Amino acid sequence: MSLHIEIGRCLSEERGEANLTQKQVAESMGVHQSRISRLEQGEGADWSEYHRYLEVIGTTGAQRLSQALSVEWKHLPRPSLRHPDLVVLIDTECALERLDSFRQGPSIPQVLAGQADLLFRRLQGFGDFLLRLEHRITYVGEIGVGKTTAACRQAGLVLDAGTAHDLRGMLLDTGGGRTTLCDVLVRTGERFALQVDPVPDEEVYRYVAELCRAIMERKDGEAVGASAVDYRPAEEIERALRNMADLLRPTRRKGGPPVVDPAATLASSFGKLQDFQAEFASRLTLWRRTRRSIHFEGADPQAGRQWLRDTFTQINNGRHADFSLPGRIVLTVPFDLVSGTPFEISVTDTRGVDGSAIRPDIVAQLKDRRALLVLCSKWGSAPDPSLQELLKHVADTEVDPALLSRVVVLVLARAGDALSMRHDSGESAADIDDGYEIKKAHVEDALQRIDLLGVDVTVFDAACDDPGELTAFLGGKIATLRGAQADAARQTIDAVDQMLRNVEKAQALAALAAIGNELTIFADRHARLREGRRPVHNRLLEAIRTRHPRTVWATTRRAGTFWNFDAYQHLGDGASAEAKRRAGQVIAGLREIIANKLADPEMESAHGFLGQLLDDIDRWESDFVRAARHHAVSVFKPVLADAADLWGRCEGMYGVRAPYRVAVADEIGAWFEAREELQDEVDRRVQRGWRTSVLEPLRTASGGTEVTPEGGADLGSASPAPASS
């Protein structure tokens, strides 16, 4: 939509709000009514006409539109005139222009130059966040908890809204667990459609090899030997592969005769495992499964919903001949997933948590500032242990003060759960709402005991509760996230105005100079971090010792990268956790210095700057922790991923050496210990990251000069020495 057409629509809407006719507006402006009609069609000749029109309307909305049209958008893209955060975006653009004019001035006090840069970057960040209206609601939960059903009910992904309480009418594939094959992203568009990002062929064949090995080692459907090793891929993967190969296991009826597994029958006709694998792989016909998208051709919305349900079920179960094994499915639907909100909200249903929620896909969602994570828990175990582990893990390895505000614990209730609750007095819940409140209090107490107070908790029974209440709750959470960004932008604008007022005040400049001098001394004293206590690979070894043996084995077969356990994620987590620990005491000391200045009335003229600096410390620390993660992975991964002999030894120990996980951890631990030069390189890069992420911006903000490492050495220039496997 062109700007003039958008303006015309807004003019018409504001005229309607003011209850004025085109004739009345024309008379007030002294023009013919046809001119008003053309203005409302976007045929304005110049901005002055629009301003005159809006002046006649006189509503608050008209005044806001007139202001928006007066702004010359130099630093932020021009937002829509109906943007929900238009006012704060206008204020942000104007503050950015004031700052830019100040920075381009002929003589800028040194003590204010860095401060201006700091404030400019902060305002740009807030503006970029608020301009975008896209947000995501991501459902995470253990296998069989009911998250897919809850997501469908909340987002209106049902066959018929009038029979939504029929839990068999969900558009996504639901069942008793292990139904969701991969992550499913649902977004709003013009029509019903599906897009599939397939699993790479080589990974599909790797799954086939594991499944065929498991089938060959079974007889009549039973494992050979009580201690047989499990080679099978996840149940949902096996089901899809069997469907693709037309080797689906028949259903055994109660009281009926035993059923014969066609895959086992096929395996018995081959003497060698490799021959069976080749036949199974050939039956998949991956060379024919090249389609990536499909859409509904009709116009009937009800028929479109049925088509989407049927097509998704086929693809999710490997029963669509045109599609390969999906790695991610993107659904498009022609309706809002969260109604009553100006935001563009998509919904993601993640693959069920199998053992641990510390997976790259889930952690990435949790760190996304635009995503709201809905942690689905069973009634009896809420908050589920795997989700508690996830939150504590991210809290240990990331710096994000707003993390808990982006998380919701959703307790999924079933019939009778609420009325089974009792108050501390022993009295039973009076009704369902009372039972829900008791359960929420219990969950909040559990979160407080593990230092996760601040996570919102809500309860939902997909069979009978109104999904509109859950939708409104989640939409409100997203609005709150955006409101916090808008409030922070306004505080930064206040700091900008205070800084500009300080330009001509000698006392204020002297106070800022004193603060800058103290911060510069602090940066000099902490030019190097103290040495680390724990090797970065320790967290990886701990994860190996606690994960399911079959998961560890699958990871070793893939050189450390598996959807349910990524060795390099844990390696990066170890580096970030250690970096956070090493910097913690120094960062705390810096915050204490600033807090003391904020409590000093003689420093009042600098309080705006100090408040912004205090907030920026979190960003600097977060950047440093992320840098440490990046450096550890970039140094170790090229060498470790290429260590074919190491991974081969670890894979070969499965079912041979016990306990398997301990043996693998010992083998990988020895590999790291033999490569101290890689650890030294990581530490050099982390030290440089400390300088570039924390000390340099600190000195710049305080009017100082760039920090140099001790001895003048470049702490990040060395390259990792090559190492064999």
Side-chain angles (χ1 to χ4, degrees):
M1 182 191 306
S2 73
L3 176 59
H4 283 278
I5 292 176
E6 183 184 16
I7 293 172
R9 291 185 179 181
C10 291
L11 297 180
S12 179
E13 292 172 5
E14 289 303 325
R15 180 173 56 78
E17 288 290 328
N19 292 319
L20 296 175
T21 65
Q22 286 186 346
K23 181 179 180 181
Q24 290 172 316
V25 176
E27 290 175 349
S28 297
M29 291 181 62
V31 298
H32 193 275
Q33 183 176 336
S34 62
R35 184 56 190 158
I36 301 302
S37 178
R38 288 195 296 273
L39 284 175
E40 293 181 356
Q41 292 174 9
E43 299 177 11
D46 54 56
W47 296 112
S48 62
E49 275 195 303
Y50 292 137
H51 288 299
R52 287 173 57 204
Y53 183 110
L54 292 168
E55 185 178 358
V56 169
I57 298 299
T59 62
T60 301
Q63 294 171 4
R64 183 170 63 248
L65 287 173
S66 184
Q67 184 184 12
L69 294 177
S70 300
V71 174
E72 184 178 359
W73 297 88
K74 296 180 180 179
H75 309 286
L76 297 175
R78 180 185 294 275
S80 164
L81 296 174
R82 285 294 181 237
H83 195 289
D85 297 301
L86 181 60
V87 173
V88 71
L89 287 171
I90 290 173
D91 293 343
T92 300
E93 173 65 32
C94 293
L96 285 169
E97 177 59 19
R98 293 197 298 275
L99 271 175
D100 192 52
S101 298
F102 171 73
R103 296 194 305 171
Q104 302 301 325
S107 57
I108 306 174
Q110 179 66 30
V111 72
L112 294 182
Q115 184 181 158
D117 289 339
L118 177 151
L119 295 173
F120 193 90
R121 287 193 298 270
R122 284 183 62 81
L123 277 179
Q124 277 192 318
F126 293 132
D128 291 342
F129 183 94
L130 293 172
L131 271 168
R132 293 175 52 196
L133 298 178
E134 306 92 354
H135 292 275
R136 182 177 299 176
I137 297 175
T138 300
Y139 285 82
V140 175
E142 296 182 353
I143 293 172
V145 73
K147 64 176 175 58
T148 302
T149 300
C152 286
R153 291 275 281 122
Q154 173 268 302
L157 299 171
V158 295
L159 281 176
D160 186 352
T163 59
H165 294 301
D166 180 4
L167 299 185
R168 296 170 297 179
M170 306 296 105
L171 296 189
L172 302 186
D173 216 0
T174 58
R178 293 196 177 277
T179 303
T180 304
L181 182 61
C182 60
D183 284 2
V184 180
L185 170 64
V186 189
R187 61 191 181 192
T188 300
E190 295 182 356
R191 58 184 177 179
F192 292 101
L194 293 93
Q195 177 182 322
V196 176
D197 300 329
V199 173
D201 289 354
E202 57 270 23
E203 179 65 5
V204 174
Y205 291 136
R206 196 177 283 116
Y207 280 132
V208 168
E210 294 166 2
L211 176 57
C212 289
R213 183 172 181 178
I215 293 172
M216 287 287 278
E217 296 194 4
R218 290 174 178 270
K219 182 179 181 182
D220 299 327
E222 298 294 329
V224 181
S227 60
V229 178
D230 181 16
Y231 296 105
R232 293 172 56 188
E235 174 64 29
E236 59 272 26
I237 296 291
E238 178 176 353
R239 180 178 62 246
L241 291 175
R242 283 174 172 269
N243 276 320
M244 292 169 67
D246 197 20
L247 293 171
L248 185 63
R249 289 167 295 193
T251 302
R252 180 173 182 175
R253 303 297 179 184
K254 183 178 180 180
V259 296
V260 178
D261 181 356
T265 301
L266 179 64
S268 65
S269 63
F270 293 94
K272 295 182 179 179
L273 173 61
Q274 292 81 357
D275 295 336
F276 176 41
Q277 290 176 3
E279 175 62 22
F280 197 116
S282 178
R283 287 176 175 238
L284 299 180
T285 62
L286 293 187
W287 59 91
R288 298 174 185 163
R289 298 175 179 270
T290 58
R291 192 165 186 175
R292 297 293 180 263
S293 62
I294 186 171
H295 62 266
F296 178 61
E297 298 287 356
D300 181 9
Q302 192 62 38
R305 287 174 181 260
Q306 185 65 58
W307 172 88
L308 187 71
R309 172 185 165 91
D310 294 342
T311 307
F312 176 81
T313 300
Q314 289 179 337
I315 294 174
N316 186 60
N317 288 278
R319 291 193 285 108
H320 198 299
D322 295 339
F323 290 90
S324 183
L325 188 71
R328 188 180 79 145
I329 303 176
V330 179
L331 274 62
T332 303
V333 296
F335 54 83
D336 291 334
L337 303 172
V338 176
S339 58
T341 174
F343 313 127
E344 300 168 10
I345 300 178
S346 60
V347 170
T348 298
D349 180 29
T350 60
R351 191 171 176 180
V353 171
D354 188 4
S356 174
I358 304 174
R359 300 189 331 225
D361 59 322
I362 294 177
V363 172
Q365 294 278 358
L366 190 56
K367 292 191 290 187
D368 184 353
R369 295 193 308 147
R370 310 192 71 83
L372 178 66
L373 218 66
V374 182
L375 304 181
C376 302
S377 289
K378 299 175 184 176
W379 182 272
S381 57
D384 288 341
S386 63
L387 304 183
Q388 295 184 43
E389 177 194 25
L390 170 67
L391 291 175
K392 289 189 291 185
H393 173 85
V394 176
D396 287 343
T397 58
E398 297 292 331
V399 177
D400 186 356
L403 171 67
L404 298 185
S405 67
R406 300 196 303 271
V407 175
V408 170
V409 171
L410 177 61
V411 183
L412 297 175
R414 298 185 179 181
D417 283 340
L419 296 179
S420 69
M421 299 301 294
R422 291 178 177 272
H423 291 279
D424 291 343
S425 64
E427 295 182 5
S428 298
D431 52 30
I432 290 177
D433 288 340
D434 190 28
Y436 282 1
E437 291 302 318
I438 297 173
K439 170 54 72 173
K440 286 166 61 176
H442 289 178
V443 175
E444 289 166 356
D445 288 344
L447 291 171
Q448 184 175 9
R449 286 194 293 271
I450 56 175
D451 295 327
L452 293 175
L453 186 64
V455 176
D456 282 346
V457 181
T458 191
V459 183
F460 181 62
D461 184 342
C464 59
D465 286 344
D466 179 8
E469 295 183 5
L470 176 59
T471 297
F473 172 79
L474 298 178
K477 285 289 294 181
I478 291 176
T480 300
L481 291 178
R482 294 183 64 89
Q485 292 286 313
D487 289 343
R490 294 187 185 97
Q491 292 170 6
T492 304
I493 292 170
D494 291 341
V496 169
D497 293 337
Q498 185 182 59
M499 183 201 73
L500 295 178
R501 289 194 300 269
N502 287 340
V503 174
E504 302 299 331
K505 297 179 181 179
Q507 183 179 2
L509 294 179
L512 288 169
I515 293 171
N517 184 58
E518 188 167 352
L519 295 178
T520 299
I521 293 172
F522 180 92
D524 288 341
R525 291 186 58 226
H526 298 283
R528 287 191 64 86
L529 280 178
R530 58 180 176 175
E531 297 300 319
R533 291 203 305 255
R534 301 186 66 194
V536 298
H537 60 271
N538 274 19
R539 190 173 284 261
L540 168 61
L541 302 184
E542 292 169 1
I544 290 173
R545 295 187 184 102
T546 56
R547 288 298 183 89
H548 192 282
R550 199 261 168 221
T551 299
V552 174
W553 175 70
T555 301
T556 64
R557 282 176 48 77
R558 293 159 174 84
T561 302
F562 184 50
W563 74 271
N564 201 26
F565 182 28
D566 190 304
Y568 307 104
Q569 175 202 332
H570 289 276
L571 188 61
D573 288 340
S576 60
E578 183 66 4
K580 184 177 179 180
R581 186 196 64 78
R582 292 170 67 180
Q585 186 174 349
V586 180
I587 294 293
L590 178 57
R591 287 197 179 100
E592 182 66 21
I593 290 174
I594 296 172
N596 290 339
K597 301 299 181 186
L598 283 169
D600 186 350
E602 294 185 2
M603 296 291 176
E604 184 177 0
S605 60
H607 283 181
F609 162 64
L610 290 169
Q612 296 299 303
L613 186 62
L614 198 58
D615 289 341
D616 254 19
I617 291 173
D618 290 327
R619 182 171 60 84
W620 299 339
E621 184 183 12
S622 176
D623 188 64
F624 167 61
V625 168
R626 290 198 304 268
R629 175 191 301 277
H630 169 81
H631 291 319
V633 175
S634 64
V635 169
F636 279 111
K637 186 173 183 178
V639 185
L640 182 56
D642 198 41
D645 289 348
L646 169 68
W647 295 117
R649 291 194 300 272
C650 292
E651 178 186 348
M653 292 187 292
Y654 192 46
V656 177
R657 287 183 57 182
Y660 173 68
R661 293 171 296 184
V662 174
V664 171
D666 290 346
E667 189 78 23
I668 292 178
W671 185 92
F672 276 99
E673 290 171 4
R675 286 156 181 82
E676 291 185 1
E677 74 282 1
L678 296 182
Q679 177 63 61
D680 292 342
E681 173 60 18
V682 171
D683 190 65
R684 282 193 293 270
R685 296 191 183 192
V686 168
Q687 289 286 0
R688 183 174 185 180
W690 168 250
R691 176 163 59 94
T692 57
S693 294
V694 179
L695 299 186
E696 286 182 5
L698 174 63
R699 290 180 65 107
T700 299
S702 58
T705 57
E706 182 179 353
V707 176
T708 55
E710 287 183 2
D714 185 345
L715 297 173
S717 59
S719 300
S724 63
S725 61

